[in-house]
Amino acid sequence: MIWKRSAVLRFYSVCGLLLQGSQGQFPLTQNVTVVEGGTAILTCRVDQNDNTSLQWSNPAQQTLYFDDKKALRDNRIELVRASWHELSISVSDVSLSDEGQYTCSLFTMPVKTSKAYLTVLGVPEKPQISGFSSPVMEGDLMQLTCKTSGSKPAADIRWFKNDKEIKDVKYLKEEDANRKTFTVSSTLDFRVDRSDDGVAVICRVDHESLNATPQVAMQVLEIHYTPSVKIIPSTPFPQEGQALTLTCESKGKPLPEPVLWTKDGAELPDPDRMVVSGRELNILFLNKTDNGTYRCEATNTIGQSSAEYVLIVHDVPTTLLPTTIIPSLTTAPVTTTVAITTSPSTSASSSSRRDPNSLAGQNGPDHALIGGIVAVVVFVTLCSIFLLGRYLARHKGTYLTNEAKGAEDAPDADTAIINAEGSQVNAEEKKEYFI
Ligand SMILES: *[C@@H]1O[C@H](CO)[C@@H](O)[C@H](O)[C@H]1NC(C)=O
Ligand SMILES: *[C@@H]1O[C@H](CO)[C@@H](O)[C@H](O)[C@H]1NC(C)=O
Ligand SMILES: *[C@@H]1O[C@H](CO)[C@@H](O)[C@H](O)[C@H]1NC(C)=O
Ligand SMILES: *[C@@H]1O[C@H](CO)[C@@H](O)[C@H](O)[C@H]1NC(C)=O
């Protein structure tokens, strides 16, 4: 039994050793990706090695390193680490032609190998935008092309206008002369309008070799368009004698300047009172004769545009003269007239806010006297009503209490108490109500 068990144990341990040996006795490598011009490190590991030699060779099957001994004369290739467990080498200033399958060999019998693929990324050049000829007229079709060469794999191009991505673009990819990298281009077609003037169009190239910092090209658009004109008056209600400023707001590219003012299709009739400065027309002291249609005209190299403003000079509101109104109106409106004579602009609000009686005294002894009498009469009436009310309330209370006392005549004591209590409650309620 004991022998049997130990034999079984020995059997397993031998199997384990064999398994471990075969598992560890082979080279391990990993694929490597490097950006063109960078440094690639190729590592080959052997977990269990009984002093067997390791070797790295390139895609052309040339030996680069045999253990720690350099085999190929290339200063870009250097030894990083050499031991029985590892052979690591570095390739600096990697070029696209270095791409391919590298082999690590372990010289057991037979030789065991492991492949590592070296991928070299081609960095896209700074993109260029073509197709913009300045200036462009509004309504024209614009075709911009953004191009970048040297990317491997082919780079991605995206367009942005005012930070908003434009999706509908044409993408084209072609192989470069080296047959390894690509030239990619993207074309953007759109009809321009005035809102595109001054807008920055950005072409953005994203690529894995760029480390999350994309390459960009920018084109600021310049769109020429006919002027648009608008007249803005300084006041919505021009009155005789006031000054009025009309501002001619004109947009356009090139900027239309100066603007031309006319009245009823002719020159401004009174240059002394109608002064044009820049985009503004200032009319000093409006007169009824200034009524008419004022026109502002703006012209640039593309075209012309105009706007019109119909001026109606309103009367100064002088209709509410105090002398014409006082005799025909009673006390309250008279105070309104007083308010108007002191401050015409706030007449409406002041008349509605003020208590007519409070100002009555100012308008002469007659009104004061009438007011006083009315006040006294009203006061006396109010006092009488109040006193009468108090008197009636007290009287009613007494009457109800007496009625409660009358409950003594009830047929039995219970009824008497119920009657008395009910009435008392009623009396209390009524008293409270009347006082
Ligand atoms: C490996 O080589 C070292 C000396 O470099 C030696 O000491 C060791 O015994 C060798 N091991 C085997 C398994 O041959
Ligand atoms: C290494 O790269 C080669 C070639 O691109 C590929 O076939 C293989 O699957 C890659 N191996 C690993 C472990 O990624
Ligand atoms: C308006 O113009 C007329 C004629 O030019 C003039 O007689 C009149 O006094 C002016 N009125 C005012 C309020 O300036
Ligand atoms: C100007 O317009 C006002 C308001 O319509 C009118 O009362 C006035 O008579 C007009 N004056 C002239 C000279 O047309």
Side-chain angles (χ1 to χ4, degrees):
M1 280 291 278
I2 290 165
W3 175 85
K4 251 189 183 170
R5 196 187 287 162
S6 63
V8 168
L9 274 176
R10 206 171 298 155
F11 173 74
Y12 278 133
S13 60
V14 166
C15 282
L17 272 174
L18 283 173
L19 213 65
Q20 204 180 26
S22 64
Q23 225 176 22
Q25 189 77 0
F26 59 82
L28 282 170
T29 57
Q30 271 181 329
N31 283 351
V32 174
T33 298
V34 67
V35 174
E36 191 181 2
T39 300
I41 293 179
L42 300 167
T43 299
C44 180
R45 275 183 230 282
V46 187
D47 281 349
Q48 301 287 318
N49 192 1
D50 50 1
N51 294 5
T52 310
S53 286
L54 281 167
Q55 170 196 283
W56 267 115
S57 56
N58 67 11
Q61 309 298 331
Q62 297 167 305
T63 302
L64 302 177
Y65 265 89
F66 187 84
D67 288 335
D68 59 353
K69 285 175 281 295
K70 188 167 183 162
L72 188 76
R73 205 180 297 177
D74 185 341
N75 339 339
R76 298 181 305 130
I77 301 172
E78 282 172 49
L79 186 69
V80 175
R81 197 173 298 118
S83 72
W84 297 122
H85 294 291
E86 180 182 337
L87 179 62
S88 292
I89 59 168
S90 69
V91 184
S92 54
D93 192 17
V94 170
S95 70
L96 293 162
S97 58
D98 290 326
E99 183 167 280
Q101 205 158 58
Y102 288 70
T103 309
C104 175
S105 308
L106 178 68
F107 286 94
T108 47
M109 269 313 249
V111 176
K112 288 175 184 157
T113 61
S114 172
K115 312 273 188 197
Y117 199 89
L118 175 66
T119 305
V120 182
L121 301 176
V123 185
E125 287 166 10
K126 190 161 171 49
Q128 303 285 336
I129 295 177
S130 60
F132 182 74
S133 56
S134 176
V136 180
M137 302 293 162
E138 181 174 37
D140 281 1
L141 196 69
M142 187 181 291
Q143 188 173 71
L144 297 179
T145 299
C146 181
K147 201 171 194 174
T148 175
S149 301
S151 59
K152 181 182 163 298
D156 189 28
I157 299 184
R158 291 159 81 188
W159 288 96
F160 294 86
K161 201 164 112 183
N162 272 346
D163 295 334
K164 200 167 165 281
E165 184 165 3
I166 307 165
K167 289 285 190 188
D168 189 21
V169 293
K170 284 191 213 88
Y171 183 82
L172 193 75
K173 169 175 115 174
E174 46 188 91
E175 215 173 54
D176 288 334
N178 61 19
R179 312 212 58 189
K180 290 187 167 72
T181 56
F182 295 90
T183 292
V184 290
S185 64
S186 176
T187 304
L188 175 69
D189 284 298
F190 65 106
R191 204 166 284 284
V192 297
D193 64 33
R194 57 190 60 199
S195 68
D196 291 321
D197 185 48
V199 162
V201 172
I202 286 173
C203 154
R204 193 175 105 179
V205 175
D206 290 290
H207 195 259
E208 55 193 286
S209 69
L210 295 175
N211 235 337
T213 48
Q215 299 254 44
V216 293
M218 189 177 84
Q219 178 66 60
V220 177
L221 305 183
E222 192 189 344
I223 314 299
H224 279 192
Y225 57 96
T226 54
S228 61
V229 180
K230 199 162 91 182
I231 296 177
I232 300 165
S234 59
T235 166
F237 194 78
Q239 288 176 10
E240 199 166 18
Q242 284 185 341
L244 174 70
T245 300
L246 298 177
T247 304
C248 180
E249 257 193 19
S250 63
K251 281 183 194 154
K253 190 131 186 180
L255 199 64
E257 231 164 12
V259 295
L260 178 70
W261 284 99
T262 51
K263 180 188 179 226
D264 299 325
E267 273 182 36
L268 296 174
D270 190 347
D272 290 337
R273 274 191 313 116
M274 300 176 176
V275 184
V276 174
S277 78
R279 290 159 186 281
E280 290 179 358
L281 165 61
N282 295 291
I283 306 176
L284 319 166
F285 311 112
L286 283 173
N287 189 315
K288 287 265 184 90
T289 57
D290 296 337
N291 277 7
T293 302
Y294 290 78
R295 189 183 173 89
C296 160
E297 206 170 273
T299 310
N300 69 6
T301 53
I302 321 261
Q304 189 192 62
S305 171
S306 61
E308 287 184 349
Y309 172 80
V310 176
L311 174 64
I312 293 169
V313 179
H314 296 270
D315 286 320
V316 177
T318 51
T319 44
L320 290 175
L321 283 174
T323 45
T324 59
I325 292 163
I326 286 175
S328 62
L329 293 172
T330 53
T331 38
V334 168
T335 57
T336 313
T337 318
V338 171
I340 282 171
T341 49
T342 49
S343 59
S345 62
T346 59
S347 58
S349 60
S350 58
S351 67
S352 64
R353 241 188 295 117
R354 288 183 196 175
D355 175 9
N357 290 327
S358 67
L359 275 174
Q362 292 178 10
N363 301 304
D366 287 1
H367 303 304
L369 199 66
I370 294 164
I373 290 164
V374 168
V376 167
V377 169
V378 168
F379 181 71
V380 168
T381 314
L382 280 173
C383 285
S384 314
I385 291 167
F386 180 72
L387 287 172
L388 197 68
R390 289 277 297 200
Y391 175 77
L392 279 174
R394 212 171 294 158
H395 217 71
K396 208 151 197 175
T398 318
Y399 169 71
L400 285 166
T401 315
N402 285 344
E403 198 181 46
K405 274 175 187 162
E408 284 161 20
D409 310 331
D412 57 69
D414 284 348
T415 320
I417 289 164
I418 289 162
N419 282 353
E421 274 173 4
S423 310
Q424 218 105 39
V425 169
N426 272 344
E428 283 299 317
E429 278 172 359
K430 292 248 163 82
K431 267 182 192 171
E432 272 172 26
Y433 178 75
F434 276 103
I435 289 165

